[in-house]
Amino acid sequence: MTEPESVDGNELVVHALAANGISTIYGVVGIPVTDLARIAQARGIRFLGFRNEQAAGHAAAAAGYLTGRPGICLTVSAPGFLNGLVALATATTDCFPMIQISGSSDRSVVDLEQGDYEELDQLAAARPFAKAAYRVDSPDLIGVGVGRAIRAAVSGRPGGVYLDLPARVLAGSAPPTPRPPIVDPAPRQIPAPAAVERAVALLEGAQRPLIVLGKGAAYARADRVVRNFVEETKAPFLPMSMAKGLLPDGHPQSAAAARSLALGSADVVVLIGARLNWLLDHGRVPRWSPDARFVQLDICASEFDSNRPIAAPVLGDIGSSTAALLAALRPGRISPSRDWLDEIAATRRANTAKMEEQLHREDHPMSFAVALRAVRDVLDEHRDTVVVSEGANTLDNARNIIPIHYPRHRLDVGTWGAMGVGLGYAIAAAVETGHRVVAIEGDSAFGFSGMEIETICRYHLPVVVVVFNNGGVYRGDEVNAHSADPAPTVLLHSSRYDTLIEAFGGVGYHAETPDEVAAALRSALTTAGPALIDCTIDPAVGTESGHLQKLNRPAHEEES
């Protein structure tokens, strides 16, 4: 058989994706991309159809983080594109490699504003929110466009890329000329020897060194070298939430349970794939010592000095930079103060004991801590489970209570703090890793993407959703003193989320005690099918904005 003289644009897109190792597409079909999804399936690329483009985009972003290859989100034009744009912007902020591919209207009609079907200048709209944005104007350039999008998404600091495919390009045709895959799309960046020497010298002079591991360290897949570096320095370390598991939470050098002490008294801080943004109080006093000096390992030079001055910037990919620092360490030259290590250890023991008291209280209805203790104890029997978490109080408490034992086994709202990522992330984790997934959701956060439980059931994914149901945003006991309407933070207290998944063929559980939570989760994980546990939480527990109390209105404004 001979090759056809030409094929349409949909075939060319699929050929280009497959040639570059793309095996999965997440998306929502419609004009003009439905045939692209059909052809992808016919050519062996898995297509997972979602109920909303935003959730599909979040799934693609999580797939990129989990695999190191760009996750692909396919959307229709205009409204569908805009739905996906939220996820694209989140991926860019969180540094997850993702490509949003969207169909679009004819440029000549869009530019003259002649009112085409779903008319929108999508390329212009995407550019402020993406790492890069490209439009393909001819079918014979589809391979070039896909290749550029892949390299832009994964090279340097990863991020979201937009690829615009007008309907006429998808319907057009061109010869199926084979185009080789992109070679080394994310090349290593080796740090300068002088930068490495400067960083090591700073560490050698430290009395109270601290290592902060960010999600960039987890994304780098340099797990062994990162662990060896931490252990060789003997310095305490703090993992950001998605860096948990690079070293086990129970590691003797972990200062997670003594976070405030470690941040406030460290004299030299090594940031590995972590940024001094709001998640670390921008490096500001009094959270941090005014005398602290910083070593920062990052692949993007513009990140240095963004808040505090960086005394020893190390530019390069995390794996290469950490390996270079490890090789440059001289035995016995880094010696953390014994008094400081003892103080961190004592604080960690005291805080852990306080936490255990909260976890074992006889609260009915349950508090977040009591319910999460039941989840924690069951997950200890299933340590390879990927944990996804979102919702202000649910997220904050789960981060502190649920241990993570392996890298890239925790996904949450990330740098932007975007709610609604949970079910998309859970679906991607199940598809890309093959592990069981537990998505621990606040009831408000669950509402952003709750319809995706139908997607979970349709593809029979091993995802268990645990909805912490306190009947509100933050908490469910606020009273509206001005009318009969519910207060702004109050949801329907009679909600039974477990019945929703039953409508789609999944298994629903309702739990009001820790024993019921444990029994339901153990059963759901054993059957390894789609399940949802409606977990009743006291409406009076929880704080507004979770741990972000400083972002709330001042008390005098609330009273006025």
Side-chain angles (χ1 to χ4, degrees):
M1 297 180 64
T2 59
E3 287 288 328
E5 292 185 3
S6 63
V7 296
D8 72 10
N10 295 296
E11 287 273 9
L12 294 169
V13 174
V14 171
H15 288 168
L17 293 173
N20 284 281
I22 301 300
S23 59
T24 306
I25 297 173
Y26 303 89
V28 179
V29 297
I31 298 171
V33 298
T34 306
D35 281 347
L36 198 162
R38 291 186 178 120
I39 292 169
Q41 287 185 330
R43 301 294 179 262
I45 293 179
R46 190 176 189 189
F47 176 81
L48 284 92
F50 281 64
R51 304 302 295 265
N52 183 275
E53 292 88 355
Q54 187 175 145
H58 290 317
Y65 172 74
L66 291 167
T67 66
R69 301 184 302 274
I72 307 298
C73 173
L74 180 66
T75 80
V76 301
S77 50
F81 154 78
L82 289 172
N83 285 341
L85 188 58
V86 173
L88 185 72
T90 303
T92 301
T93 303
D94 282 344
C95 307
F96 290 176
M98 168 199 169
I99 302 172
Q100 179 178 343
I101 299 176
S102 297
S104 64
S105 298
D106 190 281
R107 285 299 312 171
S108 62
V109 179
V110 171
D111 290 345
L112 282 173
E113 299 180 5
Q114 292 180 305
D116 201 6
Y117 173 73
E118 296 189 343
E119 176 184 297
L120 180 68
D121 189 348
Q122 295 170 198
L123 187 70
R127 277 185 168 142
F129 304 104
K131 181 183 176 185
Y134 307 107
R135 178 185 294 121
V136 177
D137 284 322
S138 174
D140 61 315
L141 293 175
I142 285 174
V144 176
V146 169
R148 294 205 69 187
I150 288 172
R151 187 178 291 280
V154 298
S155 61
R157 172 169 286 173
V161 175
Y162 176 62
L163 185 61
D164 189 275
L165 298 177
R168 64 171 181 78
V169 173
L170 292 173
S173 61
T177 305
R179 185 175 180 84
I182 299 300
V183 176
D184 195 13
R188 294 175 63 196
Q189 296 187 23
I190 311 300
V196 173
E197 293 172 7
R198 185 186 304 118
V200 171
L202 199 59
L203 266 174
E204 288 180 348
Q207 291 295 305
R208 299 179 301 280
L210 175 68
I211 298 171
V212 178
L213 303 174
K215 68 176 179 290
Y219 174 79
R221 287 158 188 77
D223 307 341
R224 180 174 297 179
V225 71
V226 169
R227 178 166 185 160
N228 289 345
F229 174 75
V230 171
E231 293 180 338
E232 187 67 24
T233 65
K234 299 181 174 57
F237 73 92
L238 280 175
M240 302 302 287
S241 59
M242 276 192 275
K244 288 164 70 72
L246 279 168
L247 288 86
D249 281 346
H251 193 283
Q253 287 173 246
S254 173
R259 177 186 176 94
S260 294
L261 171 64
L263 294 180
S265 56
D267 60 356
V268 172
V269 181
V270 182
L271 303 167
I272 303 181
R275 293 182 277 181
L276 281 177
N277 55 21
W278 69 273
L279 291 164
L280 287 170
D281 262 14
H282 304 281
R284 294 172 181 162
V285 179
R287 173 70 72 179
W288 295 84
S289 166
D291 301 320
R293 293 181 294 172
F294 291 86
V295 176
Q296 185 169 5
L297 280 60
D298 204 288
I299 201 166
C300 182
S302 63
E303 186 58 38
F304 301 138
D305 308 305
S306 60
N307 284 291
R308 290 284 289 268
I310 302 301
V314 181
L315 180 65
D317 68 89
I318 295 299
S320 298
S321 296
T322 309
L325 261 65
L326 179 62
L329 296 180
R330 293 176 287 185
R333 296 294 293 270
I334 299 175
S335 183
S337 162
R338 173 47 55 188
D339 289 344
W340 190 57
L341 295 180
D342 290 345
E343 186 180 7
I344 286 178
T347 303
R348 184 174 63 230
R349 288 192 298 269
N351 288 342
T352 300
K354 289 179 184 177
M355 176 64 76
E356 286 299 318
E357 289 180 9
Q358 295 181 38
L359 298 180
H360 288 86
R361 289 172 52 180
E362 296 293 332
D363 291 334
H364 190 80
M366 292 181 291
S367 65
F368 288 96
V370 168
L372 282 165
R373 184 252 302 169
V375 174
R376 179 198 69 178
D377 292 348
V378 174
L379 289 182
D380 192 51
E381 305 164 10
H382 303 273
R383 293 191 170 192
D384 62 345
T385 300
V386 178
V387 176
V388 178
S389 187
E390 65 173 337
N393 293 280
T394 306
L395 169 74
D396 292 337
N397 284 282
R399 181 188 66 200
N400 295 333
I401 294 169
I402 305 296
I404 303 297
H405 302 279
Y406 302 107
R408 295 168 297 281
H409 275 56
R410 177 182 166 84
L411 299 168
D412 65 30
V413 300
T415 308
W416 246 12
M419 298 301 165
V421 302
L423 295 196
Y425 282 10
I427 290 168
V431 170
E432 303 293 345
T433 72
H435 294 301
R436 287 167 293 199
V437 180
V438 172
I440 305 172
E441 302 273 311
D443 51 355
S444 173
F446 172 74
F448 283 88
S449 59
M451 196 62 182
E452 301 306 335
I453 58 175
E454 188 273 338
T455 307
I456 292 169
C457 291
R458 189 172 2 121
Y459 293 98
H460 201 71
L461 299 174
V463 175
V464 180
V465 181
V466 184
V467 178
F468 276 36
N469 184 357
N470 69 346
V473 182
Y474 311 127
R475 53 195 290 170
D477 63 343
E478 183 180 353
V479 176
N480 177 7
H482 308 290
S483 76
D485 287 339
T489 60
V490 171
L491 303 175
L492 196 63
H493 286 157
S494 59
S495 298
R496 285 287 301 268
Y497 297 105
D498 51 310
T499 63
L500 294 178
I501 201 165
E502 291 173 350
F504 301 121
V507 180
Y509 302 86
H510 179 70
E512 298 185 1
T513 68
D515 288 345
E516 291 174 351
V517 173
L521 183 56
R522 191 170 284 112
S523 172
L525 289 172
T526 300
T527 57
L532 188 149
I533 303 170
D534 181 70
C535 185
T536 300
I537 302 295
D538 187 349
V541 300
T543 57
E544 187 158 336
S545 301
H547 288 348
L548 299 178
Q549 295 297 295
K550 66 181 182 181
L551 300 184
N552 292 334
R553 289 182 300 159
H556 68 274
E557 291 185 16
E558 295 178 0
E559 294 168 359
S560 61

